[in-house]
Amino acid sequence: MKFNKILENIKNYEAGKPIELIVREFGVEPKDVLKLASNENPVGTSKMVVQALKKSANKAHLYPDDSMYELKDSLAKKYSIKPKNIIIGSGSDQVIEFVLHAKCSKNSAILVAGTTFSMYEIYAAHIGAKVYKTPSKSHNIDEFMEIYNSKKDEISVIFLCLPNNPLGECLDAKEVFEFIKSIDKDTLVVIDAAYNEFATYKDSKKHISPLEISKLKNTIYLGTFSKLYGLGGMRIGYGVADENIISNLAKLRPPFNVTTHALIAANEVLKDKEFIKKTLENNASEMVRYEKFAKKNGIKFINSYTNFITYIFDDKNSTQICDTLLKQGIILRDLKGYGLNAIRITVGLPKQNKRVLKALKALI
């Protein structure tokens, strides 16, 4: 059977290994598997969400509210914007897909950092759009500006992942908004802010305001409930932008693209201030633990504004480290696929981090 030739050069997204795989392959007891590879919330799921889902279990036979009124209203109040400035997606990934289908074609291109979230490139490949990358792996605004000015006629979308996944670095908001001002009004700038709540908690200068983004004519803010809010399994995210941008993206949204229970869970977790506070506090204190360990043991690391930290190795093989730990039931993310001899570690709970660092210490 013949398929679209575009598919020949598209690589599958490499997701973190699931717990079930480790149980099957290495005979590790499920309770002994520690998954710190996918940047999920180690605190778990909000109790308020669990209770709300129990109460709504008998709604599984009904289609969800396709207007998504309650969640849009909650987000609108949170960010002091209007519901018409919001689009809800099955994960913020789906909004990325909407953006590229709305703005790109085989005659256009996107611009991204040298190392960043791989789905930008994968979705662009679906359309046949070119991908321009900065020479630097992390975000360098001067490099973005130089490439944009030389390829302005081709570039339709610019992605700024702030903070950046899988590295963890983050630009200051002031620098970002100055950059946006210099971009043509017909080029869409995407601020992927999946981890921005963590960045804001660590350093207020990193905070990207959805309200400010909604006032711009060429920018969209992407948020997710998968990280801080602990709803990775629900697959729900959103975009905030000018009404014209949102109304055009909405034309690409399939009906009922988000489940009833995902909408209920997302709306409920926004109310759980204690859960959010606990998550941010744990991440901040345990991140310091990873930084101290790296300094003490001579490991290079990237100053992270996310819920993960990236360790970079000179004389150790990142794949061998990850494979060895995998057999012990510890799942970390090897970044060899990104061309880096590095591992990405989700910051877990104190007991979990103690186990990871002890195992790493034995290896190095």
Side-chain angles (χ1 to χ4, degrees):
M1 183 180 290
K2 295 181 179 179
F3 292 94
N4 192 321
K5 286 190 175 181
I6 288 175
L7 297 177
E8 293 176 3
N9 298 315
I10 295 178
K11 295 180 180 179
N12 290 336
Y13 176 75
E14 184 184 343
K17 290 181 172 60
I19 292 173
E20 294 79 6
L21 178 67
I22 309 308
V23 172
R24 289 196 304 270
E25 290 196 3
F26 302 112
V28 180
E29 290 293 323
K31 64 180 178 62
D32 295 327
V33 177
L34 176 54
K35 186 185 178 188
L36 294 179
S38 301
N39 307 333
E40 295 147 329
N41 190 327
V43 177
T45 306
S46 159
K47 292 180 181 178
M48 291 175 62
V49 168
V50 173
Q51 290 302 315
L53 291 176
K54 286 179 179 178
K55 291 180 181 178
S56 64
N58 62 350
K59 294 183 179 180
H61 66 294
L62 299 173
Y63 283 115
D65 171 14
D66 201 48
S67 73
M68 307 181 192
Y69 172 81
E70 288 189 8
L71 180 56
K72 285 185 179 180
D73 188 58
S74 294
L75 287 169
K77 290 175 180 175
K78 175 180 174 65
Y79 295 129
S80 300
I81 56 178
K82 298 178 180 178
K84 64 184 179 181
N85 294 121
I86 302 168
I87 186 168
I88 308 296
S90 178
S92 55
D93 305 52
Q94 189 178 45
V95 185
I96 293 171
E97 192 173 12
F98 294 161
V99 163
L100 290 171
H101 279 280
K103 287 292 296 177
C104 289
S105 68
K106 63 181 180 180
N107 298 315
S108 63
I110 68 169
L111 174 58
V112 301
T115 298
T116 193
F117 186 44
S118 60
M119 287 309 300
Y120 308 147
E121 187 171 356
I122 291 172
Y123 282 140
H126 289 180
I127 302 163
K130 292 181 183 177
V131 178
Y132 290 113
K133 297 182 178 182
T134 62
S136 297
K137 293 185 181 298
S138 59
H139 286 71
N140 183 308
I141 285 298
D142 291 337
E143 291 178 1
F144 269 89
M145 202 69 249
E146 184 178 351
I147 295 173
Y148 176 70
N149 285 333
S150 66
K151 304 291 183 180
K152 189 178 294 186
D153 293 339
E154 293 179 63
I155 296 172
S156 298
V157 180
I158 300 172
F159 285 98
L160 299 178
C161 191
L162 305 172
N164 190 17
N165 177 25
L167 300 183
E169 98 285 347
C170 189
L171 297 170
D172 284 353
K174 182 180 179 182
E175 190 176 14
V176 174
F177 282 103
E178 287 176 354
F179 172 74
I180 293 170
K181 288 178 184 178
S182 65
I183 299 303
D184 186 85
K185 299 304 179 186
D186 197 44
T187 302
L188 184 58
V189 180
V190 179
I191 306 297
D192 189 343
Y195 299 90
N196 200 254
E197 295 96 342
F198 295 103
T200 299
Y201 189 81
K202 184 173 183 175
D203 184 350
S204 60
K205 295 193 297 295
K206 308 296 182 184
H207 175 62
I208 303 290
S209 165
L211 172 61
E212 292 305 309
I213 295 297
S214 71
K215 297 175 182 178
L216 303 175
K217 303 298 182 182
N218 67 335
T219 310
I220 183 170
Y221 174 104
L222 303 183
T224 182
F225 286 93
S226 297
K227 311 304 178 185
L228 173 64
Y229 298 106
L231 297 179
M234 287 291 176
R235 306 305 303 127
I236 183 164
Y238 58 94
V240 174
D242 171 77
E243 183 183 358
N244 180 53
I245 295 173
I246 296 299
S247 63
N248 277 282
L249 296 184
K251 295 175 182 178
L252 295 165
R253 184 182 70 82
F256 312 119
N257 63 312
V258 178
T259 70
T260 296
H261 294 100
L263 290 169
I264 290 171
N267 193 55
E268 199 66 27
V269 77
L270 289 173
K271 306 172 188 175
D272 196 342
K273 306 301 181 185
E274 186 58 35
F275 175 81
I276 294 168
K277 179 173 179 285
K278 183 177 180 181
T279 297
L280 289 169
E281 289 178 346
N282 175 78
N283 188 73
S285 61
E286 291 299 298
M287 180 70 75
V288 172
R289 187 176 189 174
Y290 276 100
E291 292 170 349
K292 288 182 177 178
F293 176 87
K295 291 174 182 176
K296 184 177 180 180
N297 292 279
I299 301 172
K300 295 178 183 177
F301 68 94
I302 297 171
N303 186 25
S304 177
Y305 292 88
T306 64
N307 68 343
F308 62 81
I309 189 167
T310 299
Y311 280 179
I312 303 171
F313 298 95
D314 291 326
D315 57 350
K316 300 290 181 181
N317 186 297
S318 62
T319 301
Q320 290 179 358
I321 291 173
C322 287
D323 287 348
T324 300
L325 294 181
L326 203 59
K327 294 172 184 177
Q328 299 175 31
I330 299 174
I331 312 173
L332 305 181
R333 188 64 179 267
D334 180 20
L335 297 185
K336 274 288 174 62
Y338 286 89
L340 297 170
N341 185 37
I343 59 174
R344 191 189 68 188
I345 310 170
T346 304
V347 175
L349 297 174
K351 185 177 180 180
Q352 296 173 325
N353 299 326
K354 181 179 180 180
R355 180 181 167 193
V356 171
L357 295 177
K358 182 179 180 181
L360 275 175
K361 178 69 174 178
L363 287 178
I364 65 175

